[in-house]
Amino acid sequence: MAALGWLTPRRRSATARSVLAGEAAAEAARRTSAADDDAALLTATPEEAPEEPAFPVAGDVRAAAFFDLDNTVMQGAAIFHFGRGLYKRKFFERRELTRFAWQQAWFRLAGVEDPEHMQDARDSALSIVKGHRVSELMSIGEEIYDEYMADRIWPGTRALAQAHLDAGQKVWLVTAAPVETATIIARRLGLTGALGTVAESVDGVYTGRLVGEPLHGPAKAEAVRALAAAEDLDLDRCAAYSDSHNDIPMLSLVGHPYAINPDTKLRKYARARDWRLRDYRTGRKAAKVGIPAAAGVGALAGGTAAALALHRRRR
């Protein structure tokens, strides 16, 4: 019965640790992010879309797009796929794999990101990587992406991201997943970079602690706010995409919020505010609040852009 608590998300406001996590993520993302101008585009049959003003606006460099990762860009949770890859490489025992598998199954069936549930998963991951070198985990992460993540990217969401890139805008992942994992995914998708949970490292070795807290809920909004200030972005002209009501703080920051594969609470919230909505989980069109004009763009192939973003805290 304890698991039922995961189905009752609690409202959380930004705390000092949320702000720290957001600012650390923004700093990490800006340090070494880079876009790839050579990202390829796979052709797909365009879907019909209602007439509406062109969006994104080509050439609007003060606009950018922020995409949640889990269940928005990719099916399932990146941290769980990463855990499977580490188990394959004997980083931990079978009982811990069972725990990862249960957490992944719950996430997929319930479609709910409970902060305590996700925190538990990340505590497990931090204990596993403690003492390992950042460079080692980055190298392994590249392999894990190919093994477990590449085939789980939603083509429709990739198309939306590509529309922003084609308009000359930067596109960032914003996720509670480790920033190293997030930036690997961003690079493979040809995106600008990633805002993610920053794990502390000293001399290139993980300490088993976080900088601030996981980039979840209010912390995501703080990260976007910090990055927008540093990049001179106008948030009213920016777009954000997410599947989870936990990301309402981030979605509410921008002038163009989109609910992608939304959970029940986000769907209801989006309808009430006339936010655009798109659901790629079935072959049918989602109940329409407004279909993004970019939805007809084909899915893009994996790019070769570099978007590495690693925050280093020295003692």
Side-chain angles (χ1 to χ4, degrees):
M1 295 300 292
L4 292 178
W6 298 348
L7 291 173
T8 311
R10 292 164 290 283
R11 295 186 64 84
R12 301 168 64 228
S13 59
T15 63
R17 291 180 64 82
S18 296
V19 173
L20 176 59
E23 291 178 347
E27 179 187 348
R30 291 193 73 240
R31 279 190 175 181
T32 53
S33 64
D36 179 12
D37 294 333
D38 299 322
L41 191 66
L42 290 177
T43 57
T45 302
E47 300 175 13
E48 293 181 0
E51 291 184 6
E52 59 180 49
F55 185 83
V57 179
D60 186 359
V61 295
R62 295 200 66 205
F66 302 94
F67 283 79
D68 169 55
L69 176 58
D70 297 344
N71 265 355
T72 301
V73 172
M74 181 177 67
Q75 299 176 49
I79 189 67
F80 301 131
H81 297 315
F82 188 65
R84 293 172 63 195
L86 292 182
Y87 170 75
K88 178 180 177 181
R89 291 159 177 81
K90 304 186 184 302
F91 271 67
F92 54 90
E93 302 299 322
R94 181 176 294 275
R95 66 179 178 274
E96 292 171 296
L97 176 66
T98 301
R99 184 183 188 187
F100 268 107
W102 162 246
Q103 290 168 330
Q104 169 70 353
W106 177 263
F107 181 84
R108 295 190 62 143
L109 291 173
V112 174
E113 292 181 28
D114 178 74
E116 291 184 5
H117 179 210
M118 302 305 285
Q119 175 71 61
D120 184 52
R122 282 172 189 92
D123 285 344
S124 299
L126 284 169
S127 67
I128 290 166
V129 303
K130 181 179 179 180
H132 288 275
R133 298 200 65 81
V134 174
S135 57
E136 176 191 10
L137 271 294
M138 286 294 292
S139 178
I140 291 173
E142 296 281 357
E143 299 172 3
I144 292 175
Y145 176 84
D146 291 328
E147 293 169 2
Y148 297 111
M149 302 180 188
D151 292 338
R152 291 179 169 83
I153 303 299
W154 293 109
T157 312
R158 292 181 77 178
L160 293 172
Q162 184 62 33
H164 286 279
L165 293 171
D166 290 345
Q169 297 173 6
K170 293 182 177 180
V171 178
W172 304 83
L173 292 181
V174 187
T175 174
V179 67
E180 292 85 359
T181 300
T183 52
I184 288 170
I185 297 170
R187 182 175 67 252
R188 292 301 192 92
L189 298 181
L191 309 183
T192 307
L195 298 157
T197 296
V198 179
E200 182 185 74
S201 64
V202 175
D203 297 329
V205 178
Y206 289 114
T207 66
R209 296 186 294 268
L210 294 181
V211 177
E213 63 181 20
L215 201 71
H216 187 274
K220 282 189 177 181
E222 293 300 326
V224 169
R225 197 191 312 274
L227 185 64
E231 296 272 314
D232 192 29
L233 300 174
D234 182 349
L235 286 171
D236 286 340
R237 288 144 70 174
C238 291
Y241 301 77
S242 179
D243 71 297
S244 173
H245 70 278
N246 290 304
D247 287 339
I248 286 174
M250 176 180 75
L251 294 169
S252 299
L253 273 183
V254 301
H256 302 277
Y258 290 74
I260 305 294
N261 305 329
D263 61 30
T264 301
K265 285 193 173 184
L266 179 57
R267 184 183 293 272
K268 181 178 180 180
Y269 194 93
R271 286 181 183 280
R273 288 155 182 79
D274 199 30
W275 289 359
R276 294 185 174 101
L277 182 149
R278 190 69 176 173
D279 200 322
Y280 298 112
R281 292 170 294 190
T282 69
R284 296 176 289 106
K285 283 190 176 181
K288 182 171 69 69
V289 173
I291 306 300
V297 182
L300 74 125
T304 58
L308 300 178
L310 302 176
H311 179 82
R312 299 288 180 266
R313 169 176 277 188
R314 303 292 183 181
R315 285 186 179 140

Short mmCIF file of all heavy atoms in Angstrom, two decimals, residues 274-307:
data_model
loop_
_atom_site.label_atom_id
_atom_site.label_comp_id
_atom_site.label_asym_id
_atom_site.label_seq_id
_atom_site.Cartn_x
_atom_site.Cartn_y
_atom_site.Cartn_z
N ASP A 274 -5.93 26.29 -22.37
CA ASP A 274 -5.82 26.33 -23.82
C ASP A 274 -4.38 26.15 -24.30
O ASP A 274 -3.96 26.74 -25.29
CB ASP A 274 -6.40 27.64 -24.37
CG ASP A 274 -6.74 27.53 -25.86
OD1 ASP A 274 -7.08 26.42 -26.31
OD2 ASP A 274 -6.64 28.54 -26.58
N TRP A 275 -3.62 25.32 -23.59
CA TRP A 275 -2.27 24.99 -24.03
C TRP A 275 -2.34 23.98 -25.17
O TRP A 275 -3.26 23.18 -25.25
CB TRP A 275 -1.45 24.38 -22.89
CG TRP A 275 -1.06 25.35 -21.83
CD1 TRP A 275 -1.34 26.69 -21.78
CD2 TRP A 275 -0.33 25.04 -20.63
NE1 TRP A 275 -0.82 27.25 -20.63
CE2 TRP A 275 -0.19 26.26 -19.91
CE3 TRP A 275 0.23 23.88 -20.11
CZ2 TRP A 275 0.48 26.31 -18.69
CZ3 TRP A 275 0.89 23.93 -18.90
CH2 TRP A 275 1.02 25.14 -18.20
N ARG A 276 -1.34 24.01 -26.03
CA ARG A 276 -1.28 23.03 -27.10
C ARG A 276 -0.95 21.66 -26.53
O ARG A 276 -0.22 21.53 -25.55
CB ARG A 276 -0.23 23.44 -28.14
CG ARG A 276 -0.60 24.70 -28.91
CD ARG A 276 0.44 24.95 -29.99
NE ARG A 276 0.07 26.07 -30.85
CZ ARG A 276 0.59 27.29 -30.75
NH1 ARG A 276 1.50 27.54 -29.83
NH2 ARG A 276 0.21 28.24 -31.56
N LEU A 277 -1.48 20.63 -27.17
CA LEU A 277 -1.34 19.27 -26.68
C LEU A 277 -1.08 18.31 -27.83
O LEU A 277 -1.66 18.46 -28.91
CB LEU A 277 -2.61 18.87 -25.93
CG LEU A 277 -2.68 17.48 -25.28
CD1 LEU A 277 -3.56 17.53 -24.04
CD2 LEU A 277 -3.23 16.44 -26.25
N ARG A 278 -0.20 17.35 -27.60
CA ARG A 278 0.07 16.33 -28.60
C ARG A 278 0.37 15.02 -27.89
O ARG A 278 1.12 15.01 -26.90
CB ARG A 278 1.26 16.74 -29.48
CG ARG A 278 1.47 15.84 -30.69
CD ARG A 278 0.36 16.01 -31.70
NE ARG A 278 0.59 15.24 -32.90
CZ ARG A 278 -0.30 15.12 -33.88
NH1 ARG A 278 -1.46 15.74 -33.79
NH2 ARG A 278 -0.03 14.40 -34.94
N ASP A 279 -0.22 13.92 -28.36
CA ASP A 279 -0.01 12.62 -27.73
C ASP A 279 0.47 11.63 -28.78
O ASP A 279 -0.23 11.34 -29.75
CB ASP A 279 -1.32 12.13 -27.10
CG ASP A 279 -1.09 11.07 -26.05
OD1 ASP A 279 -0.19 10.23 -26.28
OD2 ASP A 279 -1.77 11.07 -25.02
N TYR A 280 1.70 11.12 -28.59
CA TYR A 280 2.30 10.19 -29.54
C TYR A 280 2.20 8.74 -29.09
O TYR A 280 2.80 7.86 -29.68
CB TYR A 280 3.77 10.55 -29.76
CG TYR A 280 3.95 11.93 -30.35
CD1 TYR A 280 4.52 12.95 -29.60
CD2 TYR A 280 3.53 12.22 -31.65
CE1 TYR A 280 4.68 14.23 -30.13
CE2 TYR A 280 3.68 13.49 -32.18
CZ TYR A 280 4.26 14.49 -31.41
OH TYR A 280 4.40 15.75 -31.94
N ARG A 281 1.43 8.48 -28.03
CA ARG A 281 1.38 7.13 -27.48
C ARG A 281 0.42 6.21 -28.20
O ARG A 281 0.42 5.01 -27.99
CB ARG A 281 1.01 7.19 -26.00
CG ARG A 281 2.09 7.83 -25.14
CD ARG A 281 1.60 8.11 -23.74
NE ARG A 281 0.54 9.12 -23.73
CZ ARG A 281 0.07 9.69 -22.63
NH1 ARG A 281 0.58 9.34 -21.45
NH2 ARG A 281 -0.87 10.61 -22.68
N THR A 282 -0.45 6.76 -29.06
CA THR A 282 -1.37 5.94 -29.83
C THR A 282 -1.33 6.38 -31.28
O THR A 282 -0.78 7.42 -31.62
CB THR A 282 -2.82 6.10 -29.31
OG1 THR A 282 -3.28 7.41 -29.62
CG2 THR A 282 -2.89 5.88 -27.81
N GLY A 283 -1.95 5.59 -32.15
CA GLY A 283 -2.01 5.95 -33.56
C GLY A 283 -3.04 7.03 -33.83
O GLY A 283 -3.07 7.62 -34.91
N ARG A 284 -3.91 7.28 -32.87
CA ARG A 284 -4.94 8.30 -33.05
C ARG A 284 -4.41 9.67 -32.67
O ARG A 284 -3.54 9.80 -31.85
CB ARG A 284 -6.15 7.98 -32.19
CG ARG A 284 -6.84 6.69 -32.57
CD ARG A 284 -7.97 6.37 -31.60
NE ARG A 284 -7.47 5.97 -30.30
CZ ARG A 284 -7.51 6.73 -29.23
NH1 ARG A 284 -8.01 7.94 -29.30
NH2 ARG A 284 -7.04 6.31 -28.07
N LYS A 285 -4.97 10.70 -33.27
CA LYS A 285 -4.61 12.06 -32.87
C LYS A 285 -5.11 12.31 -31.46
O LYS A 285 -6.15 11.83 -31.05
CB LYS A 285 -5.23 13.09 -33.82
CG LYS A 285 -4.49 13.20 -35.15
CD LYS A 285 -5.00 14.39 -35.92
CE LYS A 285 -4.19 14.58 -37.21
NZ LYS A 285 -4.65 15.76 -37.96
N ALA A 286 -4.35 13.05 -30.72
CA ALA A 286 -4.75 13.39 -29.35
C ALA A 286 -5.96 14.31 -29.39
O ALA A 286 -6.19 15.02 -30.35
CB ALA A 286 -3.60 14.10 -28.64
N ALA A 287 -6.74 14.26 -28.32
CA ALA A 287 -7.82 15.23 -28.18
C ALA A 287 -7.18 16.60 -28.24
O ALA A 287 -6.21 16.88 -27.56
CB ALA A 287 -8.51 15.02 -26.83
N LYS A 288 -7.72 17.46 -29.08
CA LYS A 288 -7.01 18.67 -29.47
C LYS A 288 -7.29 19.85 -28.56
O LYS A 288 -8.42 20.23 -28.32
CB LYS A 288 -7.39 19.05 -30.90
CG LYS A 288 -6.67 20.28 -31.45
CD LYS A 288 -6.95 20.45 -32.92
CE LYS A 288 -8.40 20.83 -33.16
NZ LYS A 288 -8.66 22.20 -32.68
N VAL A 289 -6.22 20.41 -28.03
CA VAL A 289 -6.28 21.73 -27.45
C VAL A 289 -5.73 22.70 -28.47
O VAL A 289 -6.03 23.88 -28.50
CB VAL A 289 -5.45 21.80 -26.14
CG1 VAL A 289 -5.39 23.23 -25.63
CG2 VAL A 289 -6.06 20.89 -25.09
N GLY A 290 -4.93 22.18 -29.39
CA GLY A 290 -4.28 22.96 -30.44
C GLY A 290 -3.08 22.16 -30.86
O GLY A 290 -2.23 21.85 -30.04
N ILE A 291 -3.00 21.76 -32.10
CA ILE A 291 -1.90 20.92 -32.55
C ILE A 291 -0.73 21.79 -32.97
O ILE A 291 -0.88 22.71 -33.77
CB ILE A 291 -2.34 20.04 -33.74
CG1 ILE A 291 -3.59 19.24 -33.36
CG2 ILE A 291 -1.21 19.11 -34.17
CD1 ILE A 291 -3.40 18.33 -32.18
N PRO A 292 0.47 21.53 -32.45
CA PRO A 292 1.62 22.31 -32.86
C PRO A 292 1.84 22.26 -34.35
O PRO A 292 1.75 21.19 -34.96
CB PRO A 292 2.79 21.64 -32.11
CG PRO A 292 2.14 20.92 -30.97
CD PRO A 292 0.79 20.51 -31.48
N ALA A 293 2.09 23.37 -34.96
CA ALA A 293 2.32 23.40 -36.40
C ALA A 293 3.51 22.55 -36.78
O ALA A 293 3.56 22.00 -37.88
CB ALA A 293 2.55 24.84 -36.85
N ALA A 294 4.46 22.40 -35.87
CA ALA A 294 5.66 21.64 -36.17
C ALA A 294 5.41 20.15 -36.18
O ALA A 294 6.30 19.38 -36.54
CB ALA A 294 6.75 21.95 -35.14
N ALA A 295 4.21 19.69 -35.79
CA ALA A 295 3.97 18.26 -35.67
C ALA A 295 4.11 17.54 -37.00
O ALA A 295 4.32 16.34 -37.04
CB ALA A 295 2.57 18.01 -35.10
N GLY A 296 3.98 18.25 -38.10
CA GLY A 296 4.10 17.59 -39.38
C GLY A 296 5.51 17.39 -39.86
O GLY A 296 5.73 16.76 -40.88
N VAL A 297 6.48 17.90 -39.14
CA VAL A 297 7.86 17.76 -39.57
C VAL A 297 8.32 16.33 -39.35
O VAL A 297 7.98 15.71 -38.37
CB VAL A 297 8.77 18.73 -38.77
CG1 VAL A 297 10.20 18.63 -39.26
CG2 VAL A 297 8.27 20.15 -38.92
N GLY A 298 9.10 15.80 -40.25
CA GLY A 298 9.57 14.42 -40.13
C GLY A 298 10.54 14.25 -38.99
O GLY A 298 11.12 15.19 -38.50
N ALA A 299 10.71 12.99 -38.57
CA ALA A 299 11.65 12.69 -37.48
C ALA A 299 13.08 12.80 -37.96
O ALA A 299 13.41 12.36 -39.06
CB ALA A 299 11.38 11.27 -36.98
N LEU A 300 13.92 13.38 -37.14
CA LEU A 300 15.30 13.56 -37.58
C LEU A 300 16.19 12.41 -37.14
O LEU A 300 15.96 11.78 -36.14
CB LEU A 300 15.88 14.86 -37.04
CG LEU A 300 16.24 14.90 -35.55
CD1 LEU A 300 17.71 15.33 -35.47
CD2 LEU A 300 15.38 15.86 -34.80
N ALA A 301 17.23 12.15 -37.92
CA ALA A 301 18.18 11.10 -37.57
C ALA A 301 19.15 11.63 -36.53
O ALA A 301 19.26 12.83 -36.31
CB ALA A 301 18.97 10.66 -38.81
N GLY A 302 19.82 10.70 -35.89
CA GLY A 302 20.77 11.10 -34.86
C GLY A 302 21.87 11.98 -35.42
O GLY A 302 22.46 11.65 -36.44
N GLY A 303 22.15 13.09 -34.78
CA GLY A 303 23.18 14.03 -35.24
C GLY A 303 24.52 13.77 -34.59
O GLY A 303 24.68 12.83 -33.84
N THR A 304 25.46 14.64 -34.89
CA THR A 304 26.80 14.48 -34.33
C THR A 304 27.23 15.70 -33.52
O THR A 304 28.40 15.93 -33.30
CB THR A 304 27.83 14.27 -35.46
OG1 THR A 304 27.76 15.39 -36.34
CG2 THR A 304 27.54 13.01 -36.23
N ALA A 305 26.23 16.49 -33.06
CA ALA A 305 26.60 17.71 -32.33
C ALA A 305 27.20 17.38 -30.98
O ALA A 305 26.82 16.43 -30.34
CB ALA A 305 25.35 18.58 -32.13
N ALA A 306 28.13 18.20 -30.55
CA ALA A 306 28.69 18.06 -29.21
C ALA A 306 27.94 18.96 -28.26
O ALA A 306 27.73 20.11 -28.55
CB ALA A 306 30.17 18.43 -29.22
N ALA A 307 27.47 18.38 -27.11
CA ALA A 307 26.74 19.19 -26.14
C ALA A 307 27.09 18.74 -24.74
O ALA A 307 26.24 18.45 -23.93
CB ALA A 307 25.24 19.07 -26.39
#
